[in-house]
Amino acid sequence: MSDESLSFMQGQDDDGPRRVKREKRRNRWLLFTVLGVLIAVVLAGIGIATWYGKSAVDALDNINRQPDLMPTGERFVPVAPVESEKAPLNMVLMGSDTLGGERGRSDVLQLLHISGDRQNVFLMSIPRDSYVEIPGRGKAKINAAYSWGGAALAVETMELLLDVPMDNTVLIDFEGFVNVIDALGGVTVVNREESSSRGFDFPKGEITLSGEEALVFVRERKTLSNGDFGRAARQRDVIKAVLGKLASGGVLSDPGRFREAVTELGKNFTVDEGLTNDNIIRLGWELKGVSPSDIMSFQLPTAGFGWTDDRQSIVLVDEDKVDELRTALRADAAYTSLWLTGT
């Protein structure tokens, strides 16, 4: 499905935000999402032998788990299941550059929403300059949350913005981004806009990217007509391309490439301690009917640009549409809205 017209969710806010408790923080970047889809491909694909299953488990054992990626203190209560025994899941996908020994700002911030019935997966980019309320700090660009308080404060900011709890945090570093794509033999995407950067040319249309090319491709924003919005769209496209390649017959039928790819995945991930091997495998089985092409992607609704009192350029949030989004996320029910390409 394209980014142009999506079915996301709609319903009434049953129970509004109440509060609860949990944990805190860390530092890296994003390659792709939907751990459940990945594990479904690895463990639930038809005809995958025991050897492949062992490779997947070995990869899971290599995932870094950190105790400080989730916030402590008061939290939004989970959304109650509507017509399913399973609650919906919300995962924060983020990353940043480090500046020397200092923590950088989170230039990539996304929400992965998996519906309670495990039939729908949504990937939403959040512009790094979105002007939002940051707990304990007041209004600021959303990427400042990571700089000020690490992953924990970024997650808490997401919860305040969307009125739902975040269940997990997933990060992957820049080197991992390159290595995983190279282990897959490159990925193919449909490039929306021609550009050149750091010695690489990216013509419009279908292109195949190596790991290094993909990293340049998803980092570029200055030469794109839509700036950060165009970069976010490229990130979503590469995410889905990686998942599609993992699910392709060429990778699944090549034991060496399969093992190399999942090994690179495992050792380059950092997740919160709640995302255990058992939980990942369980989610994978629950998502076995979902393919990478089923992931619907879009961007947080925005209302143009503005300036702060100290003359910082900011992205204004469309409060009316985001309020609809909040209601839909809490209800985990169907809602229809039009999302324009590149927004």
Side-chain angles (χ1 to χ4, degrees):
M1 187 171 297
S2 73
D3 287 337
E4 296 185 22
S5 181
L6 301 181
S7 291
F8 187 47
M9 308 177 285
Q10 171 163 315
Q12 296 301 313
D13 188 345
D14 299 337
D15 95 351
R18 280 176 307 206
R19 310 277 186 168
V20 139
K21 295 221 173 199
R22 258 183 334 206
E23 320 156 282
K24 218 177 184 191
R25 147 181 148 244
R26 161 129 176 145
N27 162 34
R28 302 236 180 164
W29 200 71
L30 155 71
L31 180 165
F32 69 80
T33 180
V34 197
L35 290 175
V37 174
L38 168 61
I39 301 305
V41 169
V42 170
L43 297 182
I46 297 174
I48 296 179
T50 302
W51 187 91
Y52 289 88
K54 183 181 185 305
S55 296
V57 172
D58 289 345
L60 293 179
D61 286 338
N62 286 330
I63 292 175
N64 299 311
R65 290 184 169 86
Q66 295 288 333
D68 55 0
L69 296 184
M70 299 294 289
T72 57
E74 292 186 342
R75 303 286 307 284
F76 286 88
V77 297
V79 177
V82 179
E83 295 180 352
S84 168
E85 59 184 16
K86 304 181 187 73
L89 291 175
N90 295 297
M91 296 184 182
V92 179
L93 312 167
M94 75 177 78
S96 73
D97 285 321
T98 54
L99 307 173
E102 298 179 9
R103 180 167 51 227
R105 292 195 171 201
S106 53
D107 286 341
V108 179
L109 187 61
Q110 300 184 351
L111 169 73
L112 172 68
H113 175 84
I114 302 171
S115 63
D117 61 10
R118 304 299 188 258
Q119 298 301 305
N120 297 292
V121 177
F122 303 91
L123 180 64
M124 182 178 74
S125 297
I126 300 173
R128 65 178 189 163
D129 291 340
S130 299
Y131 200 56
V132 302
E133 186 74 23
I134 297 179
R137 297 281 188 153
K139 297 275 280 192
K141 296 180 182 183
I142 197 167
N143 68 343
Y146 187 87
S147 179
W148 291 336
L153 184 57
V155 170
E156 193 176 354
T157 301
M158 289 273 286
E159 292 183 334
L160 184 62
L161 173 65
L162 298 173
D163 281 353
V164 290
M166 299 296 124
D167 299 288
N168 299 107
T169 303
V170 180
L171 309 95
I172 188 168
D173 64 21
F174 283 109
E175 184 180 353
F177 185 85
V178 171
N179 292 345
V180 173
I181 290 178
D182 283 340
L184 289 170
V187 295
T188 299
V189 300
V190 177
N191 184 23
R192 304 161 188 245
E193 181 178 356
E194 179 182 1
S195 69
S196 297
S197 181
R198 302 184 190 183
F200 296 110
D201 296 320
F202 304 111
K204 187 175 181 178
E206 187 172 277
I207 57 175
T208 298
L209 304 169
S210 67
E212 185 180 2
E213 289 170 329
L215 186 55
V216 173
F217 182 74
V218 300
R219 276 176 150 175
E220 182 57 33
R221 65 184 175 89
K222 292 183 178 179
T223 64
L224 300 181
S225 60
N226 226 4
D228 277 333
F229 294 177
R231 176 168 66 172
R234 282 185 167 188
Q235 291 164 357
R236 297 193 302 268
D237 289 343
V238 171
I239 285 168
K240 293 196 287 186
V242 169
L243 289 171
K245 190 66 176 283
L246 279 165
S248 69
V251 173
L252 291 178
S253 63
D254 184 335
R257 179 176 290 182
F258 177 87
R259 184 174 184 84
E260 184 181 0
V262 296
T263 299
E264 287 296 334
L265 286 172
K267 71 184 183 183
N268 285 296
F269 269 118
T270 300
V271 302
D272 66 277
E273 290 184 318
L275 205 52
T276 64
N277 287 2
D278 286 347
N279 286 340
I280 292 172
I281 292 170
R282 183 182 305 110
L283 182 59
W285 280 106
E286 291 172 355
L287 286 167
K288 61 182 178 291
V290 178
S291 72
S293 62
D294 293 328
I295 300 170
M296 290 171 276
S297 67
F298 61 103
Q299 182 171 277
L300 181 79
T302 61
F305 301 90
W307 298 89
T308 62
D309 291 341
D310 58 355
R311 303 306 294 167
Q312 294 183 58
S313 175
I314 56 175
V315 173
L316 303 175
V317 173
D318 187 325
E319 290 295 344
D320 289 339
K321 288 184 178 178
V322 170
D323 197 48
E324 292 180 53
L325 179 61
R326 293 174 184 130
T327 300
L329 284 167
R330 289 208 65 82
D332 193 32
Y335 137 103
T336 301
S337 191
L338 181 66
W339 308 91
L340 301 178
T341 300
T343 62

